[in-house]
Amino acid sequence: MPSRIADNLSRIQQQIADAASRSGRAASDVTLVAVTKYVTADMANELVEAGCLELGESRPQELWRKAKELSNPDICWHFIGHLQRNKAKRSLPHISLLHSCDSNRLLAELNRLAIGSGGKIDGLLEVNISGDASKHGFQPDEMNAIVAGLPDLSHVRIRGLMSMASLGGDRDAARKDFERLRQLRDQLADHLPSGVSLSELSMGMSRDFEVAIEEGTTLVRVGSALFEGVDV
Ligand SMILES: *Cc1c(COP(=O)(O)O)cnc(C)c1O
């Protein structure tokens, strides 16, 4: 019998497919990142067993712990929270996409660490699109300058933008935020430095991922909806 978590997963996958088809997109254009920050490694493993290999964490210590406890080598970890520079070195070996590149100082440190390890880091630029004072991320009006500076970061591959809808807003407010992020991406795309592409958008969480898909996101970060009805 499938577990409650596996049930929730297939329901959400269906909702993703439906939202994609409503907007004339293929379901395969949208990647579900299952956010496991609320649950134990055992519960996260139920998602893995059910075929979900894209997992997200927002705190370094939780990432380190779960990356160690979940041994499936096919898991791709997405880091979605604020990453302090002094935790970057230990975190990077686990991260396949860092959604939350939120300052020039972090970008410089990531580049330095990647040069040292001989690898490259894939990331998204986090934009504070709603202007909430409590949120991390670049301001929309600094994005031109940030993007123009990307070629200086030889070992960081920025692949798109990430954002969160305004705190306490409803779905209509979320739609406006998501639309603004997509428009910002489209404006930036008109004059990208060579070698830079912003094809990915990471927006939408449990309460608004369907809206985000309708507004063009390629990654949704869903946590609590996956664990509905489960004691966590
Ligand atoms: C926790 C978290 C999510 C998932 O939120 P839910 O509402 O539980 O789906 C998505 N993105 C970020 C950045 C988060 O911290």
Side-chain angles (χ1 to χ4, degrees), residues 33 35 37-38 57-58 80-81 126 162-164 204-207 220-226:
V33 176
V35 177
K37 67 186 184 193
Y38 312 105
E57 277 293 334
S58 62
I80 61 175
E126 179 171 355
M162 178 273 213
S163 196
M164 275 180 277
M205 323 194 330
S206 290
R207 59 179 187 147
V220 291
R221 310 176 307 267
V222 177
S224 40
L226 285 165

Side-chain angles (χ1 to χ4, degrees), residues 77-81 83 92 95-103 106-107 110-111 114 119-127 138 143 146-147 150 153-163 185 195-202 218-219:
W77 285 104
H78 296 247
F79 196 79
I80 61 175
L83 183 60
L92 286 177
I95 297 176
S96 43
L97 183 64
L98 178 54
H99 291 227
S100 43
C101 298
D102 57 9
S103 72
L106 177 62
L107 285 169
L110 296 173
N111 197 49
K120 293 215 172 176
I121 293 166
D122 287 310
L124 308 176
L125 298 173
E126 179 171 355
V127 183
F138 295 104
M143 290 302 291
I146 302 297
V147 167
L150 291 177
L153 302 170
S154 56
H155 286 60
V156 178
R157 275 189 302 240
I158 291 297
R159 299 173 47 201
L161 307 181
M162 178 273 213
S163 196
R185 189 273 306 274
V196 177
S197 109
L198 297 177
S199 53
E200 306 289 339
L201 289 175
S202 169
T218 61
L219 295 141

